[in-house]
């Protein structure tokens, strides 16, 4: 690696074979090794209050790391373009010693922090290769980072950064190599062993420290003996509905702040580029977005906590939010123009979905359920809104807006509540199938010791004239065997003892 790092020198054709720990992807690539099963990684985020001189040094640190990232990316691009040669993370990190010896600007920062920046580029390439193998239309080659688009630097605790450097001080401080001790507003205690210390910038003048601490698993919450299914909604229809008929409201903070955001953007458009007035106007736009994000996160965390504290099993939809909010493809009419594709209506729906925060809501539920010892299951929601929760009859015309009326048994219910019940049943069926697979693996090990072989059969097709819902609350379904024009719903009805389905095992002597 040259001293000025304008371009890296390729010295090997090896590719990086290092694999990150599962928790590393949640903490920006931090390598925690093999953590025991009774521990977990929890992150803490605190506000930093640097002095004016420390703030200048923090900006310089981000800028130097950004230049290192761009130089490493340029080396990989040129090596592949000229010689079809791949460069590994190990090769680039081995050149950091020479760079720090020749460049005083990089010698003031920790070696470990610079290595994490290179590891961040490696993670970007690994994600690119994964998308290429998956056949993505636009896999997204890693791009250069412009000024203001590189906001995080990670250090290993004790190597370039140290959390709680002054233990007897009234004010908590964090030490960063090349900057010194920075004041921290610690609003809650940090438990466990701090493994990484990340410095993050939000906007132009807000600084945070993000700690990744390894700690023991908390004690699970006491069992409540209840389970619930969740059907997500949007807009004025609420955030979600449960299988018990509960409605979770949707504050729609983004919609409420739309006028303030529009005013801030118009003021920004009137400013001259590069002026101080424009920087202030840009900060006002950033502040509106930050307030909406904080309001949404606070509400979703509280809603998820209520669900996790009340129910032992939570079943929700498994959604591809990025695909749902994708812009519809254009429809050429053959004459140089385009046919209507519903893009305007889709734009409003996309804004409502993003404002509701479906993906973040499900992620928060998953994290809190894991910490509390609850079960969180996600299932494919296909046909759950068209299937009757009472008899299993499926038809697209069963649902009309918010009302669900079954054309077979004339069961009437709220459409979202009916879908939530079906989602719960699908989750229970999936859980039973998973438990049966675990049982099958144990049978396999035992059979191999006894000279037997286990061969799983494929799932048997469901018959239209066979009742699948054997709930004790609806015994009349046991005698109902008339054929139906549509296939029966694939999931069993919920009961105190869920029915294991879709798994058959046969043992044969060798």
């Amino acid at each position: 690696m040259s001293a000025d790092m304008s371009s890296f020198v390729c010295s090997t054709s090896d590719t990086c074979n290092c694999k990150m720990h599962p928790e590393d992807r949640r903490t920006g690539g931090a390598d925690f090794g093999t953590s025991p099963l009774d521990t977990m990684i929890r992150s803490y985020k605190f506000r930093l209050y640097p002095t004016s001189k420390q703030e200048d040094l923090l900006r310089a640190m981000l800028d130097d790391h950004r230049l290192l990232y761009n130089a490493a990316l340029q080396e990989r691009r040129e090596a592949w373009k000229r010689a079809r040669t791949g460069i590994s993370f190990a090769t680039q990190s081995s050149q950091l010693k020479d760079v720090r010896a020749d460049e005083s600007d990089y010698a003031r920062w920790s070696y470990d922090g610079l290595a994490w920046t290179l590891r961040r580029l490696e993670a970007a390439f690994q994600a690119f290769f994964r998308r290429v193998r998956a056949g993505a239309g636009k896999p997204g080659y890693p791009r250069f980072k412009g000024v203001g688009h590189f906001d995080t630097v990670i250090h290993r605790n004790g190597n370039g950064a140290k959390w709680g450097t002054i233990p007897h001080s009234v004010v908590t401080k964090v030490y960063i190599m090349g900057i010194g001790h920075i004041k921290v507003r610690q609003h809650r205690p940090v438990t466990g062993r701090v493994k990484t210390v990340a410095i993050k910038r939000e906007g132009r003048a807000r600084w945070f420290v993000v700690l990744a601490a390894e700690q023991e698993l908390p004690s699970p919450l006491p069992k409540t003996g209840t389970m619930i299914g969740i059907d997500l909604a949007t807009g004025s229809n609420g955030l979600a509905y449960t299988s018990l008929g509960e409605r979770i409201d949707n504050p729609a903070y983004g919609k409420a702040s739309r006028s303030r955001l529009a005013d801030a953007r118009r003021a920004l458009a009137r400013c001259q580029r590069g002026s101080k007035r424009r920087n202030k106007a840009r900060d006002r736009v950033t502040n509106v977005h930050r307030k909406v994000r904080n309001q949404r996160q606070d509400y979703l965390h509280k809603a998820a906590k209520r669900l996790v504290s009340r129910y032992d099993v939570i079943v929700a939809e498994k959604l591809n939010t990025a695909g749902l909010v994708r812009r519809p493809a254009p429809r050429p009419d053959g004459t140089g123009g385009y046919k209507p594709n519903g893009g305007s209506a889709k734009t409003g729906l996309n804004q409502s979905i993003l404002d509701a925060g479906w993906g973040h809501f499900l992620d928060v539920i998953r994290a809190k359920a894991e910490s509390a010892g609850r079960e969180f299951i996600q299932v494919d929601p296909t046909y759950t809104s068209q299937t009757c929760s009472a008899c299993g009859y499926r038809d697209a015309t069963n649902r009309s807006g918010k009302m669900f009326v079954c054309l077979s048994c004339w069961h009437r219910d709220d459409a979202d509540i009916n879908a939530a019940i079906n989602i719960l049943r699908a989750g229970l069926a999936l859980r039973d199938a998973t438990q049966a697979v675990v049982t099958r693996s144990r049978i396999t090990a035992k059979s191999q010791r006894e000279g037997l072989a286990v061969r799983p059969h494929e799932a048997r097709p469901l018959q239209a004239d066979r009742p699948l819902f054997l709930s004790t609350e609806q015994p009349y379904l046991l005698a109902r065997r008339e054929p139906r024009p549509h296939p029966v719903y694939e999931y069993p009805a919920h009961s105190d003892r869920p029915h294991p389905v879709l798994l058959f095992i046969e043992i044969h002597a060798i």
Side-chain angles (χ1 to χ4, degrees):
M1 187 187 301
S2 60
D4 57 358
M5 291 182 304
S6 59
S7 63
F8 286 2
V9 179
C10 174
S11 60
T12 180
S13 61
D14 298 338
T15 57
C16 182
N17 295 322
C18 60
K19 296 182 179 179
M20 292 167 32
H21 194 260
E23 283 80 8
D24 302 351
R25 292 185 289 270
R26 299 196 295 268
T27 55
D31 183 11
F32 298 107
T34 56
S35 300
L37 297 178
D38 57 346
T39 62
M40 68 177 185
I41 302 298
R42 185 184 296 274
S43 63
Y44 297 86
K45 184 179 179 181
F46 302 117
R47 179 79 180 272
L48 288 178
Y49 290 92
T51 63
S52 58
K53 184 178 180 179
Q54 289 176 339
E55 194 169 0
D56 293 339
L57 290 174
L58 287 172
R59 293 195 187 98
M61 180 183 68
L62 290 180
D63 196 52
D64 288 343
H65 280 259
R66 179 182 64 85
L67 294 177
L68 175 67
Y69 183 94
N70 291 340
L73 175 57
Q74 180 67 20
E75 179 196 22
R76 293 196 179 207
R77 291 184 58 172
E78 292 297 327
W80 181 258
K81 181 179 179 181
R82 297 179 181 181
R84 295 295 177 180
T85 301
I87 300 179
S88 66
F89 161 76
T91 302
Q92 293 184 328
S93 62
S94 64
Q95 305 175 49
L96 285 177
K97 184 177 179 180
D98 298 333
V99 172
R100 286 164 52 85
D102 297 337
E103 293 288 340
S104 58
D105 289 342
Y106 289 91
R108 55 181 173 171
W109 313 125
S110 71
Y111 177 93
D112 190 68
L114 297 174
W116 280 120
T117 298
L118 296 180
R119 188 175 283 108
R120 175 177 174 180
L121 176 63
E122 173 65 24
F125 269 97
Q126 293 300 326
F128 167 71
F129 296 144
R130 183 174 62 252
R131 291 190 294 268
V132 171
R133 289 192 296 268
K138 295 181 179 180
Y141 190 84
R143 296 182 293 181
F144 294 102
K145 300 293 183 180
V147 178
H149 289 81
F150 193 94
D151 300 320
T152 305
V153 173
I154 302 176
H155 301 84
R156 193 184 302 272
N157 187 34
N159 192 348
K162 181 66 177 177
W163 169 252
T165 54
I166 307 178
H168 301 292
S169 175
V170 178
V171 180
T172 305
K173 294 186 178 181
V174 59
Y175 172 79
I176 304 297
M177 180 178 175
I179 299 175
H181 298 83
I182 307 176
K183 180 182 176 180
V184 181
R185 182 183 177 184
Q186 185 180 356
H187 58 272
R188 59 172 176 164
V190 177
T191 59
R193 184 166 63 96
V194 177
K195 311 214 57 166
T196 61
V197 179
I199 302 300
K200 182 178 181 182
R201 177 181 59 185
E202 292 187 2
R204 292 193 312 120
R206 285 177 176 258
W207 298 89
F208 296 87
V209 57
V210 182
L211 309 175
E214 183 181 18
Q215 55 189 226
E216 296 181 355
L217 290 175
S219 301
L221 295 178
K223 298 294 184 180
T224 62
T226 56
M227 52 189 66
I228 198 171
I230 300 176
D231 180 67
L232 298 175
T234 184
S236 60
N237 194 27
L239 176 63
Y241 286 80
T242 69
S243 56
L244 299 179
E246 301 173 348
R247 181 180 187 269
I248 303 176
D249 295 329
N250 180 18
Y253 294 110
K255 183 178 180 180
S257 64
R258 193 170 297 170
S259 59
R260 291 188 288 114
L261 182 60
D263 294 340
R265 284 177 171 172
R266 280 192 291 266
L268 177 63
R270 291 193 295 266
C271 298
Q272 183 179 0
R273 290 185 177 272
S275 63
K276 294 183 178 179
R277 185 167 170 262
R278 180 179 175 84
N279 291 334
K280 294 180 180 179
R282 186 172 60 184
D283 289 342
R284 286 193 291 270
V285 175
T286 304
N287 292 338
V288 175
H289 283 291
R290 181 186 299 111
K291 184 175 180 62
V292 172
R293 182 198 61 190
N294 293 340
Q295 289 176 323
R296 184 185 297 117
Q297 287 184 350
D298 178 72
Y299 180 79
L300 295 180
H301 273 271
K302 292 177 180 178
K305 184 178 180 180
R306 288 194 297 268
L307 293 174
V308 172
S309 61
R310 294 178 184 177
Y311 306 104
D312 293 340
V313 180
I314 303 175
V315 185
E317 305 171 76
K318 186 176 182 180
L319 299 176
N320 180 15
T321 308
L324 290 176
V325 299
R326 186 176 293 119
R327 184 173 55 184
R331 301 173 55 192
D333 57 3
T335 61
Y338 294 91
K339 300 179 182 179
N341 62 348
S344 299
K346 187 67 166 58
T347 300
L349 177 61
N350 295 347
Q351 292 177 351
S352 299
I353 293 175
L354 295 175
D355 193 14
W358 285 355
H360 185 65
F361 184 47
L362 296 178
D363 290 341
V364 172
I365 295 177
R366 181 187 299 107
K368 292 185 180 296
E370 182 180 359
S371 178
R374 305 298 200 195
E375 292 186 64
F376 179 66
I377 306 171
Q378 288 185 273
V379 298
D380 184 8
T382 306
Y383 302 124
T384 54
S385 61
Q386 303 177 6
T387 305
C388 178
S389 59
C391 68
Y393 177 72
R394 190 182 78 193
D395 196 318
T397 58
N398 284 347
R399 177 169 183 172
S400 177
K402 277 289 291 178
M403 181 57 64
F404 183 92
V405 181
C406 179
L407 300 181
S408 177
C409 68
W410 301 106
H411 169 71
R412 302 173 65 90
D413 201 350
D414 184 278
D416 294 303
I417 297 177
N418 177 81
I421 297 174
N422 292 330
I423 290 173
L424 174 61
R425 292 172 177 170
L428 296 178
L430 180 62
R431 183 182 65 166
D432 295 336
T434 304
Q435 294 174 352
V437 168
V438 174
T439 303
R440 183 181 66 183
S441 63
R442 295 173 181 173
I443 295 175
T444 303
K446 181 179 178 181
S447 302
Q448 290 177 352
R449 290 193 303 267
E450 297 178 356
L452 300 177
V454 179
R455 184 181 65 186
H457 283 193
E458 297 181 355
R460 298 173 183 172
L462 298 173
Q463 301 176 3
D465 59 345
R466 178 182 177 184
L468 186 61
F469 292 82
L470 304 179
S471 173
T472 57
E473 301 174 355
Q474 300 170 346
Y476 67 91
L477 290 178
L478 296 175
R480 185 170 187 172
R481 296 181 177 274
E482 68 272 20
R484 297 177 182 174
H486 294 271
V488 186
Y489 190 45
E490 290 86 349
Y491 305 115
H494 167 55
S495 62
D496 295 335
R497 299 181 62 186
H499 310 288
V501 295
L502 304 183
L503 188 66
F504 304 90
I505 301 174
E506 214 173 74
I507 300 180
H508 302 271
I510 296 178

